[in-house]
Amino acid sequence: NGGLRRAVSTLSGGETFLTSLALALALSSKIQLRGQYPLGFFFLDEGFGTLDDEKLELVMSALEKIHDRERMVGVISHVKELKDRLPHYIEVQPPREDGTGSVIRVSGN
Protein backbone atom coordinates (compact mmCIF):
# COMPACT_ATOMS: atom_id res chain seq x y z
CA ASN A 1 0.00 0.00 0.00
CA GLY A 2 2.95 2.30 -0.63
CA GLY A 3 3.83 2.42 3.07
CA LEU A 4 0.54 4.05 3.98
CA ARG A 5 -1.63 2.80 6.84
CA ARG A 6 -4.85 1.15 5.85
CA ALA A 7 -7.96 0.40 7.89
CA VAL A 8 -8.53 -3.31 8.51
CA SER A 9 -12.12 -2.89 7.33
CA THR A 10 -10.84 -2.17 3.80
CA LEU A 11 -9.12 -5.54 3.39
CA SER A 12 -10.56 -8.01 0.89
CA GLY A 13 -11.35 -11.59 1.94
CA GLY A 14 -8.03 -12.83 0.55
CA GLU A 15 -6.08 -10.05 2.25
CA THR A 16 -7.83 -10.80 5.55
CA PHE A 17 -6.91 -14.48 5.21
CA LEU A 18 -3.26 -13.66 4.45
CA THR A 19 -3.10 -11.29 7.41
CA SER A 20 -4.65 -13.87 9.74
CA LEU A 21 -2.29 -16.57 8.46
CA ALA A 22 0.76 -14.36 8.97
CA LEU A 23 -0.36 -13.61 12.53
CA ALA A 24 -1.01 -17.30 13.29
CA LEU A 25 2.39 -18.34 11.93
CA ALA A 26 4.17 -15.59 13.86
CA LEU A 27 2.41 -16.52 17.11
CA SER A 28 3.12 -20.23 16.66
CA SER A 29 6.80 -19.46 15.99
CA LYS A 30 6.97 -17.31 19.12
CA ILE A 31 5.44 -20.12 21.20
CA GLN A 32 7.75 -22.66 19.54
CA LEU A 33 10.83 -20.58 20.39
CA ARG A 34 9.92 -20.45 24.06
CA GLY A 35 10.06 -24.23 24.17
CA GLN A 36 7.94 -24.53 27.30
CA TYR A 37 4.79 -25.52 25.43
CA PRO A 38 5.84 -26.60 21.95
CA LEU A 39 3.17 -26.15 19.33
CA GLY A 40 3.90 -28.87 16.81
CA PHE A 41 0.61 -28.92 14.96
CA PHE A 42 -2.17 -26.50 14.07
CA PHE A 43 -5.11 -26.36 11.67
CA LEU A 44 -6.03 -23.81 9.04
CA ASP A 45 -9.75 -24.01 8.47
CA GLU A 46 -10.85 -22.66 5.10
CA GLY A 47 -10.03 -19.20 3.77
CA PHE A 48 -8.20 -20.61 0.76
CA GLY A 49 -11.23 -20.04 -1.47
CA THR A 50 -10.76 -16.28 -1.08
CA LEU A 51 -7.31 -16.37 -2.69
CA ASP A 52 -6.51 -15.86 -6.35
CA ASP A 53 -4.07 -18.29 -8.01
CA GLU A 54 -1.02 -16.14 -7.27
CA LYS A 55 -1.85 -15.75 -3.56
CA LEU A 56 -2.74 -19.44 -3.25
CA GLU A 57 0.70 -20.32 -4.65
CA LEU A 58 2.32 -17.90 -2.18
CA VAL A 59 0.49 -19.44 0.80
CA MET A 60 1.14 -23.04 -0.23
CA SER A 61 4.84 -22.33 -0.80
CA ALA A 62 5.09 -20.75 2.65
CA LEU A 63 3.33 -23.72 4.28
CA GLU A 64 5.59 -26.19 2.46
CA LYS A 65 8.66 -24.32 3.75
CA ILE A 66 7.63 -24.51 7.41
CA HIS A 67 6.68 -28.19 7.30
CA ASP A 68 9.20 -30.36 9.11
CA ARG A 69 9.22 -33.19 11.64
CA GLU A 70 8.59 -30.81 14.53
CA ARG A 71 5.86 -28.64 13.05
CA MET A 72 2.95 -29.55 10.81
CA VAL A 73 -0.04 -27.68 9.48
CA GLY A 74 -3.42 -29.33 8.93
CA VAL A 75 -5.49 -27.77 6.17
CA ILE A 76 -9.28 -27.94 6.03
CA SER A 77 -10.55 -26.80 2.65
CA HIS A 78 -12.89 -27.38 -0.27
CA VAL A 79 -10.37 -25.98 -2.79
CA LYS A 80 -9.54 -28.94 -5.06
CA GLU A 81 -6.17 -27.52 -6.18
CA LEU A 82 -4.84 -27.99 -2.64
CA LYS A 83 -5.16 -31.78 -2.84
CA ASP A 84 -2.48 -31.90 -5.53
CA ARG A 85 -0.08 -29.94 -3.31
CA LEU A 86 -0.58 -31.83 -0.06
CA PRO A 87 1.60 -34.91 0.52
CA HIS A 88 -1.08 -36.60 2.64
CA TYR A 89 -4.75 -35.85 3.09
CA ILE A 90 -8.02 -37.19 4.42
CA GLU A 91 -10.96 -36.72 2.11
CA VAL A 92 -14.44 -36.79 3.63
CA GLN A 93 -17.27 -37.41 1.20
CA PRO A 94 -20.75 -36.51 2.46
CA PRO A 95 -23.49 -39.11 3.03
CA ARG A 96 -25.29 -40.55 0.05
CA GLU A 97 -28.71 -39.23 -0.92
CA ASP A 98 -30.40 -41.95 1.13
CA GLY A 99 -28.62 -40.47 4.18
CA THR A 100 -26.37 -43.43 4.88
CA GLY A 101 -22.76 -43.00 5.97
CA SER A 102 -20.05 -40.63 4.94
CA VAL A 103 -17.00 -42.03 3.23
CA ILE A 104 -13.54 -41.24 4.56
CA ARG A 105 -10.53 -41.82 2.34
CA VAL A 106 -6.92 -41.46 3.44
CA SER A 107 -4.61 -40.65 0.58
CA GLY A 108 -1.15 -39.38 -0.17
CA ASN A 109 0.91 -38.34 -3.14
Short mmCIF file of all heavy atoms in Angstrom, two decimals, residues 9-59:
data_model
loop_
_atom_site.label_atom_id
_atom_site.label_comp_id
_atom_site.label_asym_id
_atom_site.label_seq_id
_atom_site.Cartn_x
_atom_site.Cartn_y
_atom_site.Cartn_z
N SER A 9 -10.81 -2.71 7.97
CA SER A 9 -12.12 -2.89 7.33
C SER A 9 -12.06 -2.78 5.81
O SER A 9 -13.00 -3.17 5.13
CB SER A 9 -13.13 -1.88 7.89
OG SER A 9 -12.67 -0.56 7.62
N THR A 10 -10.95 -2.29 5.26
CA THR A 10 -10.84 -2.17 3.80
C THR A 10 -10.19 -3.38 3.14
O THR A 10 -10.07 -3.42 1.92
CB THR A 10 -10.02 -0.91 3.42
OG1 THR A 10 -8.67 -1.08 3.85
CG2 THR A 10 -10.61 0.35 4.03
N LEU A 11 -9.77 -4.36 3.95
CA LEU A 11 -9.12 -5.54 3.39
C LEU A 11 -10.13 -6.44 2.69
O LEU A 11 -11.26 -6.61 3.16
CB LEU A 11 -8.42 -6.35 4.49
CG LEU A 11 -7.28 -5.67 5.24
CD1 LEU A 11 -6.78 -6.56 6.35
CD2 LEU A 11 -6.17 -5.29 4.29
N SER A 12 -9.72 -7.03 1.59
CA SER A 12 -10.56 -8.01 0.89
C SER A 12 -10.53 -9.32 1.68
O SER A 12 -9.76 -9.48 2.63
CB SER A 12 -10.03 -8.25 -0.52
OG SER A 12 -8.79 -8.95 -0.46
N GLY A 13 -11.34 -10.28 1.27
CA GLY A 13 -11.35 -11.59 1.94
C GLY A 13 -10.00 -12.26 1.88
O GLY A 13 -9.52 -12.82 2.87
N GLY A 14 -9.36 -12.23 0.71
CA GLY A 14 -8.03 -12.83 0.55
C GLY A 14 -6.98 -12.13 1.39
O GLY A 14 -6.13 -12.78 2.00
N GLU A 15 -7.04 -10.81 1.45
CA GLU A 15 -6.08 -10.05 2.25
C GLU A 15 -6.29 -10.33 3.74
O GLU A 15 -5.32 -10.44 4.50
CB GLU A 15 -6.22 -8.55 1.97
CG GLU A 15 -5.76 -8.16 0.58
CD GLU A 15 -6.15 -6.75 0.20
OE1 GLU A 15 -7.22 -6.27 0.64
OE2 GLU A 15 -5.38 -6.13 -0.55
N THR A 16 -7.53 -10.47 4.16
CA THR A 16 -7.83 -10.80 5.55
C THR A 16 -7.28 -12.18 5.90
O THR A 16 -6.68 -12.38 6.96
CB THR A 16 -9.35 -10.75 5.81
OG1 THR A 16 -9.81 -9.43 5.53
CG2 THR A 16 -9.69 -11.11 7.25
N PHE A 17 -7.44 -13.14 4.98
CA PHE A 17 -6.91 -14.48 5.21
C PHE A 17 -5.39 -14.45 5.32
O PHE A 17 -4.81 -15.05 6.22
CB PHE A 17 -7.34 -15.43 4.09
CG PHE A 17 -6.75 -16.81 4.23
CD1 PHE A 17 -7.26 -17.70 5.16
CD2 PHE A 17 -5.70 -17.20 3.43
CE1 PHE A 17 -6.70 -18.97 5.30
CE2 PHE A 17 -5.14 -18.47 3.57
CZ PHE A 17 -5.65 -19.36 4.51
N LEU A 18 -4.72 -13.75 4.41
CA LEU A 18 -3.26 -13.66 4.45
C LEU A 18 -2.77 -13.01 5.74
O LEU A 18 -1.79 -13.46 6.34
CB LEU A 18 -2.74 -12.88 3.24
CG LEU A 18 -2.83 -13.57 1.89
CD1 LEU A 18 -2.40 -12.62 0.78
CD2 LEU A 18 -1.99 -14.83 1.87
N THR A 19 -3.46 -11.97 6.17
CA THR A 19 -3.10 -11.29 7.41
C THR A 19 -3.27 -12.21 8.61
O THR A 19 -2.40 -12.30 9.48
CB THR A 19 -3.96 -10.02 7.59
OG1 THR A 19 -3.77 -9.17 6.44
CG2 THR A 19 -3.57 -9.25 8.84
N SER A 20 -4.39 -12.93 8.65
CA SER A 20 -4.65 -13.87 9.74
C SER A 20 -3.63 -15.00 9.75
O SER A 20 -3.16 -15.43 10.81
CB SER A 20 -6.06 -14.46 9.61
OG SER A 20 -7.02 -13.46 9.71
N LEU A 21 -3.29 -15.50 8.58
CA LEU A 21 -2.29 -16.57 8.46
C LEU A 21 -0.93 -16.09 8.95
O LEU A 21 -0.24 -16.80 9.70
CB LEU A 21 -2.20 -17.06 7.02
CG LEU A 21 -1.16 -18.14 6.74
CD1 LEU A 21 -1.42 -19.38 7.58
CD2 LEU A 21 -1.15 -18.49 5.26
N ALA A 22 -0.53 -14.90 8.54
CA ALA A 22 0.76 -14.36 8.97
C ALA A 22 0.79 -14.21 10.49
O ALA A 22 1.80 -14.56 11.13
CB ALA A 22 1.02 -13.00 8.30
N LEU A 23 -0.30 -13.75 11.07
CA LEU A 23 -0.36 -13.61 12.53
C LEU A 23 -0.29 -14.97 13.22
O LEU A 23 0.44 -15.15 14.19
CB LEU A 23 -1.64 -12.87 12.92
CG LEU A 23 -1.86 -12.64 14.41
CD1 LEU A 23 -0.72 -11.83 15.01
CD2 LEU A 23 -3.19 -11.93 14.64
N ALA A 24 -1.03 -15.95 12.71
CA ALA A 24 -1.01 -17.30 13.29
C ALA A 24 0.38 -17.93 13.22
O ALA A 24 0.84 -18.53 14.19
CB ALA A 24 -2.04 -18.19 12.58
N LEU A 25 1.04 -17.78 12.08
CA LEU A 25 2.39 -18.34 11.93
C LEU A 25 3.39 -17.64 12.86
O LEU A 25 4.24 -18.29 13.46
CB LEU A 25 2.85 -18.24 10.48
CG LEU A 25 2.09 -19.13 9.49
CD1 LEU A 25 2.54 -18.84 8.06
CD2 LEU A 25 2.25 -20.59 9.82
N ALA A 26 3.27 -16.33 12.98
CA ALA A 26 4.17 -15.59 13.86
C ALA A 26 3.96 -15.99 15.32
O ALA A 26 4.92 -16.20 16.05
CB ALA A 26 3.95 -14.08 13.68
N LEU A 27 2.70 -16.12 15.73
CA LEU A 27 2.41 -16.52 17.11
C LEU A 27 2.90 -17.94 17.39
O LEU A 27 3.46 -18.22 18.45
CB LEU A 27 0.92 -16.40 17.40
CG LEU A 27 0.38 -14.99 17.54
CD1 LEU A 27 -1.14 -15.00 17.65
CD2 LEU A 27 0.99 -14.30 18.74
N SER A 28 2.68 -18.85 16.44
CA SER A 28 3.12 -20.23 16.66
C SER A 28 4.65 -20.30 16.73
O SER A 28 5.20 -21.05 17.51
CB SER A 28 2.58 -21.16 15.57
OG SER A 28 3.27 -21.01 14.36
N SER A 29 5.33 -19.49 15.93
CA SER A 29 6.80 -19.46 15.99
C SER A 29 7.27 -18.92 17.32
O SER A 29 8.23 -19.42 17.91
CB SER A 29 7.36 -18.59 14.86
OG SER A 29 7.15 -19.21 13.63
N LYS A 30 6.60 -17.90 17.82
CA LYS A 30 6.97 -17.31 19.12
C LYS A 30 6.80 -18.34 20.23
O LYS A 30 7.66 -18.49 21.09
CB LYS A 30 6.08 -16.09 19.36
CG LYS A 30 6.58 -15.16 20.39
CD LYS A 30 7.76 -14.41 19.85
CE LYS A 30 7.91 -13.11 20.58
NZ LYS A 30 9.23 -12.57 20.44
N ILE A 31 5.68 -19.07 20.20
CA ILE A 31 5.44 -20.12 21.20
C ILE A 31 6.48 -21.22 21.06
O ILE A 31 7.01 -21.72 22.04
CB ILE A 31 4.00 -20.68 21.05
CG1 ILE A 31 2.99 -19.62 21.44
CG2 ILE A 31 3.82 -21.94 21.88
CD1 ILE A 31 1.56 -19.97 21.08
N GLN A 32 6.78 -21.60 19.82
CA GLN A 32 7.75 -22.66 19.54
C GLN A 32 9.13 -22.27 20.09
O GLN A 32 9.83 -23.11 20.64
CB GLN A 32 7.82 -22.89 18.03
CG GLN A 32 8.43 -24.18 17.62
CD GLN A 32 7.50 -25.35 17.85
OE1 GLN A 32 6.37 -25.21 18.26
NE2 GLN A 32 8.00 -26.53 17.61
N LEU A 33 9.51 -21.03 19.94
CA LEU A 33 10.83 -20.58 20.39
C LEU A 33 10.96 -20.61 21.90
O LEU A 33 12.05 -20.81 22.43
CB LEU A 33 11.11 -19.16 19.87
CG LEU A 33 11.38 -19.07 18.37
CD1 LEU A 33 11.49 -17.60 17.95
CD2 LEU A 33 12.65 -19.81 18.00
N ARG A 34 9.88 -20.40 22.60
CA ARG A 34 9.92 -20.45 24.06
C ARG A 34 10.22 -21.85 24.56
O ARG A 34 10.80 -22.02 25.60
CB ARG A 34 8.60 -19.97 24.64
CG ARG A 34 8.44 -18.49 24.57
CD ARG A 34 7.48 -18.07 25.61
NE ARG A 34 7.67 -16.67 25.89
CZ ARG A 34 6.70 -15.87 26.17
NH1 ARG A 34 5.47 -16.31 26.23
NH2 ARG A 34 6.94 -14.61 26.43
N GLY A 35 9.75 -22.86 23.85
CA GLY A 35 10.06 -24.23 24.17
C GLY A 35 9.30 -24.84 25.34
O GLY A 35 9.29 -26.04 25.52
N GLN A 36 8.65 -24.01 26.14
CA GLN A 36 7.94 -24.53 27.30
C GLN A 36 6.71 -25.34 26.89
O GLN A 36 6.45 -26.40 27.43
CB GLN A 36 7.52 -23.38 28.21
CG GLN A 36 6.93 -23.84 29.51
CD GLN A 36 6.61 -22.67 30.43
OE1 GLN A 36 6.79 -21.51 30.07
NE2 GLN A 36 6.13 -22.96 31.62
N TYR A 37 5.97 -24.83 25.94
CA TYR A 37 4.79 -25.52 25.43
C TYR A 37 4.88 -25.60 23.91
O TYR A 37 4.29 -24.79 23.21
CB TYR A 37 3.50 -24.78 25.82
CG TYR A 37 3.35 -24.58 27.31
CD1 TYR A 37 3.58 -23.34 27.88
CD2 TYR A 37 3.01 -25.64 28.13
CE1 TYR A 37 3.46 -23.15 29.24
CE2 TYR A 37 2.89 -25.46 29.49
CZ TYR A 37 3.11 -24.22 30.04
OH TYR A 37 2.99 -24.05 31.39
N PRO A 38 5.66 -26.54 23.41
CA PRO A 38 5.84 -26.60 21.95
C PRO A 38 4.52 -26.81 21.21
O PRO A 38 3.68 -27.59 21.65
CB PRO A 38 6.78 -27.77 21.75
CG PRO A 38 6.85 -28.49 23.04
CD PRO A 38 6.32 -27.60 24.11
N LEU A 39 4.36 -26.07 20.16
CA LEU A 39 3.17 -26.15 19.33
C LEU A 39 3.58 -26.81 18.03
O LEU A 39 4.08 -26.17 17.12
CB LEU A 39 2.61 -24.74 19.07
CG LEU A 39 1.36 -24.62 18.24
CD1 LEU A 39 0.19 -25.33 18.92
CD2 LEU A 39 1.01 -23.16 18.02
N GLY A 40 3.42 -28.13 17.95
CA GLY A 40 3.90 -28.87 16.81
C GLY A 40 2.89 -29.04 15.70
O GLY A 40 3.22 -29.47 14.61
N PHE A 41 1.65 -28.68 15.96
CA PHE A 41 0.61 -28.92 14.96
C PHE A 41 -0.50 -27.90 15.12
O PHE A 41 -0.90 -27.59 16.24
CB PHE A 41 0.03 -30.32 15.16
CG PHE A 41 -0.86 -30.78 14.05
CD1 PHE A 41 -0.34 -31.39 12.93
CD2 PHE A 41 -2.22 -30.59 14.11
CE1 PHE A 41 -1.15 -31.80 11.89
CE2 PHE A 41 -3.05 -31.00 13.08
CZ PHE A 41 -2.50 -31.62 11.97
N PHE A 42 -0.97 -27.33 14.01
CA PHE A 42 -2.17 -26.50 14.07
C PHE A 42 -2.94 -26.61 12.77
O PHE A 42 -2.41 -27.05 11.75
CB PHE A 42 -1.86 -25.05 14.46
CG PHE A 42 -1.09 -24.25 13.45
CD1 PHE A 42 -1.72 -23.47 12.51
CD2 PHE A 42 0.29 -24.26 13.47
CE1 PHE A 42 -1.01 -22.72 11.60
CE2 PHE A 42 1.02 -23.51 12.57
CZ PHE A 42 0.36 -22.74 11.63
N PHE A 43 -4.21 -26.26 12.82
CA PHE A 43 -5.11 -26.36 11.67
C PHE A 43 -5.40 -24.99 11.08
O PHE A 43 -5.55 -24.02 11.81
CB PHE A 43 -6.46 -26.98 12.09
CG PHE A 43 -6.43 -28.46 12.19
CD1 PHE A 43 -6.33 -29.06 13.43
CD2 PHE A 43 -6.52 -29.26 11.07
CE1 PHE A 43 -6.31 -30.44 13.55
CE2 PHE A 43 -6.49 -30.63 11.17
CZ PHE A 43 -6.39 -31.23 12.41
N LEU A 44 -5.50 -24.97 9.77
CA LEU A 44 -6.03 -23.81 9.04
C LEU A 44 -7.37 -24.25 8.47
O LEU A 44 -7.42 -25.17 7.66
CB LEU A 44 -5.10 -23.41 7.89
CG LEU A 44 -3.73 -22.91 8.28
CD1 LEU A 44 -2.88 -22.68 7.03
CD2 LEU A 44 -3.84 -21.63 9.07
N ASP A 45 -8.42 -23.62 8.90
CA ASP A 45 -9.75 -24.01 8.47
C ASP A 45 -10.29 -23.01 7.46
O ASP A 45 -10.63 -21.88 7.80
CB ASP A 45 -10.68 -24.09 9.69
CG ASP A 45 -12.04 -24.68 9.36
OD1 ASP A 45 -12.25 -25.09 8.19
OD2 ASP A 45 -12.89 -24.72 10.25
N GLU A 46 -10.32 -23.44 6.22
CA GLU A 46 -10.85 -22.66 5.10
C GLU A 46 -10.09 -21.36 4.88
O GLU A 46 -9.00 -21.19 5.35
CB GLU A 46 -12.35 -22.42 5.27
CG GLU A 46 -13.18 -23.66 5.02
CD GLU A 46 -13.04 -24.25 3.62
OE1 GLU A 46 -12.60 -23.56 2.68
OE2 GLU A 46 -13.36 -25.41 3.45
N GLY A 47 -10.68 -20.45 4.12
CA GLY A 47 -10.03 -19.20 3.77
C GLY A 47 -9.31 -19.26 2.44
O GLY A 47 -9.10 -18.23 1.80
N PHE A 48 -8.94 -20.47 2.01
CA PHE A 48 -8.20 -20.61 0.76
C PHE A 48 -9.03 -20.23 -0.46
O PHE A 48 -8.49 -19.81 -1.47
CB PHE A 48 -7.69 -22.05 0.61
CG PHE A 48 -6.69 -22.44 1.65
CD1 PHE A 48 -7.10 -23.07 2.80
CD2 PHE A 48 -5.35 -22.15 1.49
CE1 PHE A 48 -6.18 -23.42 3.79
CE2 PHE A 48 -4.42 -22.50 2.46
CZ PHE A 48 -4.85 -23.13 3.61
N GLY A 49 -10.34 -20.38 -0.36
CA GLY A 49 -11.23 -20.04 -1.47
C GLY A 49 -11.26 -18.56 -1.79
O GLY A 49 -11.71 -18.15 -2.85
N THR A 50 -10.77 -17.73 -0.86
CA THR A 50 -10.76 -16.28 -1.08
C THR A 50 -9.52 -15.81 -1.82
O THR A 50 -9.40 -14.64 -2.14
CB THR A 50 -10.85 -15.53 0.27
OG1 THR A 50 -9.69 -15.85 1.05
CG2 THR A 50 -12.10 -15.90 1.04
N LEU A 51 -8.59 -16.74 -2.08
CA LEU A 51 -7.31 -16.37 -2.69
C LEU A 51 -7.33 -16.57 -4.20
O LEU A 51 -7.85 -17.57 -4.70
CB LEU A 51 -6.19 -17.23 -2.10
CG LEU A 51 -6.01 -17.17 -0.58
CD1 LEU A 51 -4.95 -18.18 -0.15
CD2 LEU A 51 -5.63 -15.77 -0.14
N ASP A 52 -6.70 -15.65 -4.92
CA ASP A 52 -6.51 -15.86 -6.35
C ASP A 52 -5.35 -16.84 -6.53
O ASP A 52 -4.69 -17.24 -5.56
CB ASP A 52 -6.27 -14.53 -7.08
CG ASP A 52 -5.03 -13.77 -6.60
OD1 ASP A 52 -4.05 -14.41 -6.14
OD2 ASP A 52 -5.03 -12.53 -6.67
N ASP A 53 -5.10 -17.27 -7.75
CA ASP A 53 -4.07 -18.29 -8.01
C ASP A 53 -2.69 -17.88 -7.50
O ASP A 53 -1.96 -18.70 -6.94
CB ASP A 53 -3.99 -18.60 -9.51
CG ASP A 53 -5.22 -19.34 -10.02
OD1 ASP A 53 -5.95 -19.92 -9.19
OD2 ASP A 53 -5.44 -19.34 -11.24
N GLU A 54 -2.34 -16.63 -7.69
CA GLU A 54 -1.02 -16.14 -7.27
C GLU A 54 -0.88 -16.19 -5.75
O GLU A 54 0.13 -16.65 -5.22
CB GLU A 54 -0.83 -14.70 -7.76
CG GLU A 54 0.51 -14.10 -7.41
CD GLU A 54 0.62 -12.66 -7.90
OE1 GLU A 54 0.03 -12.32 -8.94
OE2 GLU A 54 1.31 -11.89 -7.22
N LYS A 55 -1.90 -15.75 -5.03
CA LYS A 55 -1.85 -15.75 -3.56
C LYS A 55 -1.92 -17.18 -3.02
O LYS A 55 -1.28 -17.49 -2.02
CB LYS A 55 -3.00 -14.92 -2.99
CG LYS A 55 -2.99 -13.46 -3.36
CD LYS A 55 -1.95 -12.70 -2.59
CE LYS A 55 -2.04 -11.20 -2.76
NZ LYS A 55 -1.98 -10.70 -4.09
N LEU A 56 -2.67 -18.05 -3.67
CA LEU A 56 -2.74 -19.44 -3.25
C LEU A 56 -1.36 -20.09 -3.37
O LEU A 56 -0.92 -20.81 -2.48
CB LEU A 56 -3.77 -20.22 -4.09
CG LEU A 56 -3.97 -21.67 -3.73
CD1 LEU A 56 -4.43 -21.84 -2.29
CD2 LEU A 56 -4.97 -22.32 -4.68
N GLU A 57 -0.66 -19.80 -4.45
CA GLU A 57 0.70 -20.32 -4.65
C GLU A 57 1.63 -19.78 -3.56
O GLU A 57 2.43 -20.53 -3.00
CB GLU A 57 1.22 -19.91 -6.04
CG GLU A 57 2.66 -20.30 -6.31
CD GLU A 57 2.89 -21.81 -6.30
OE1 GLU A 57 1.98 -22.58 -6.65
OE2 GLU A 57 3.99 -22.22 -5.90
N LEU A 58 1.50 -18.52 -3.23
CA LEU A 58 2.32 -17.90 -2.18
C LEU A 58 2.10 -18.59 -0.83
O LEU A 58 3.05 -18.94 -0.14
CB LEU A 58 1.98 -16.41 -2.08
CG LEU A 58 2.66 -15.62 -0.98
CD1 LEU A 58 4.13 -15.40 -1.31
CD2 LEU A 58 1.95 -14.29 -0.79
N VAL A 59 0.83 -18.81 -0.48
CA VAL A 59 0.49 -19.44 0.80
C VAL A 59 0.98 -20.88 0.84
O VAL A 59 1.60 -21.32 1.82
CB VAL A 59 -1.03 -19.37 1.06
CG1 VAL A 59 -1.44 -20.27 2.21
CG2 VAL A 59 -1.45 -17.93 1.33
#
